[in-house]
């Protein structure tokens, strides 16, 4: 599980390096706020409740925080299972054709998240390597106690 997560997070990180892009500073109210993974599809397998381990809820796989000032971050609470802190990648965002477009802090190639049925959908890869992450808007992020899971695993 750790390898799959690290490879996917690395792919997203690569997208956040590189070219320069201009930004439109017009916030879209429907994007502003907190978003967390509702479910995801990876290699044709659907994860609705947990992700690769019965103790890891899909809500801990990825989160998005989108601020009114045109900035935000993509986080992965479950990375606290493998390190002392959560991985977070900062971005700038804009609305384009009704979708959310995020670009890394260092002006990387943008990632467009489709806005559909009040959800954001991030699609990466193609065919058998395709990953789709479905985000739902939440009032606050779900609690994820990585330490409790680590302790449970060491007690085995």
């Amino acid at each position: 599980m750790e390898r799959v997560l690290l490879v996917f997070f690395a792919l997203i990180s690569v997208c956040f390096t590189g070219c320069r892009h201009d930004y439109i500073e017009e916030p879209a109210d429907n994007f502003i706020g907190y978003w967390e993974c509702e479910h995801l599809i990876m290699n044709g397998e659907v994860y609705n409740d947990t992700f690769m381990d019965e103790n890891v809820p899909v809500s801990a796989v990825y989160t998005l925080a989108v601020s009114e000032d045109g900035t935000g971050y993509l986080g992965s609470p479950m990375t606290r299972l493998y390190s002392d802190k959560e991985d977070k990648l900062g971005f700038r965002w804009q609305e384009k054709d009704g979708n959310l477009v995020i670009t890394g802090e260092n002006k990387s190639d943008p990632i467009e998240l489709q806005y559909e049925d009040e959800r954001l959908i991030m699609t990466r890869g193609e065919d058998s390597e395709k990953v789709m992450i479905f985000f739902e808007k939440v009032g606050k992020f779900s609690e994820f106690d990585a330490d409790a899971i680590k302790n449970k695993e060491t007690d085995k």
Side-chain angles (χ1 to χ4, degrees):
M1 176 175 79
E2 179 180 355
R3 177 183 278 186
V4 172
L5 176 66
L6 292 175
V7 168
F8 186 70
F9 209 74
L11 286 173
I12 289 178
S13 298
V14 168
C15 293
F16 281 79
T17 60
C19 311
R20 174 170 168 67
H21 297 279
D22 293 322
Y23 301 98
I24 298 172
E25 297 291 340
E26 296 179 18
D29 289 341
N30 53 329
F31 297 135
I32 296 167
Y34 300 110
W35 300 79
E36 64 185 16
C37 183
E38 171 193 37
H39 73 278
L40 62 103
I41 303 170
M42 181 182 289
N43 300 326
E45 189 166 344
V46 178
Y47 298 92
N48 286 311
D49 300 315
T50 59
F51 180 69
M52 302 184 111
D53 180 312
E54 66 185 31
N55 297 310
V56 180
V58 293
S59 61
V61 177
Y62 286 107
T63 58
L64 283 170
V66 181
S67 299
E68 189 173 345
D69 67 0
T71 64
Y73 69 84
L74 172 68
S76 181
M78 73 180 267
T79 56
R80 291 187 314 226
L81 291 171
Y82 315 109
S83 74
D84 294 336
K85 64 179 187 164
E86 176 181 344
D87 285 344
K88 292 183 180 179
L89 298 171
F91 61 76
R92 298 204 33 94
W93 69 273
Q94 65 182 359
E95 179 180 6
K96 179 182 175 191
D97 300 327
N99 296 319
L100 177 70
V101 178
I102 60 176
T103 306
E105 289 179 330
N106 54 357
K107 316 289 192 265
S108 65
D109 291 331
I111 297 174
E112 185 168 345
L113 286 83
Q114 305 296 317
Y115 184 69
E116 205 173 283
D117 298 325
E118 297 184 4
R119 294 186 299 181
L120 290 170
I121 306 166
M122 179 189 293
T123 304
R124 307 303 300 158
E126 296 179 16
D127 301 325
S128 65
E129 301 292 318
K130 188 174 188 176
V131 176
M132 296 178 73
I133 303 169
F134 295 78
F135 292 93
E136 68 178 340
K137 197 169 193 178
V138 295
K140 68 177 189 167
F141 292 134
S142 298
E143 294 293 322
F144 177 67
D145 190 352
D147 291 330
I149 294 171
K150 286 189 238 182
N151 292 337
K152 188 183 290 187
E153 289 177 2
T154 57
D155 291 342
K156 289 183 181 180

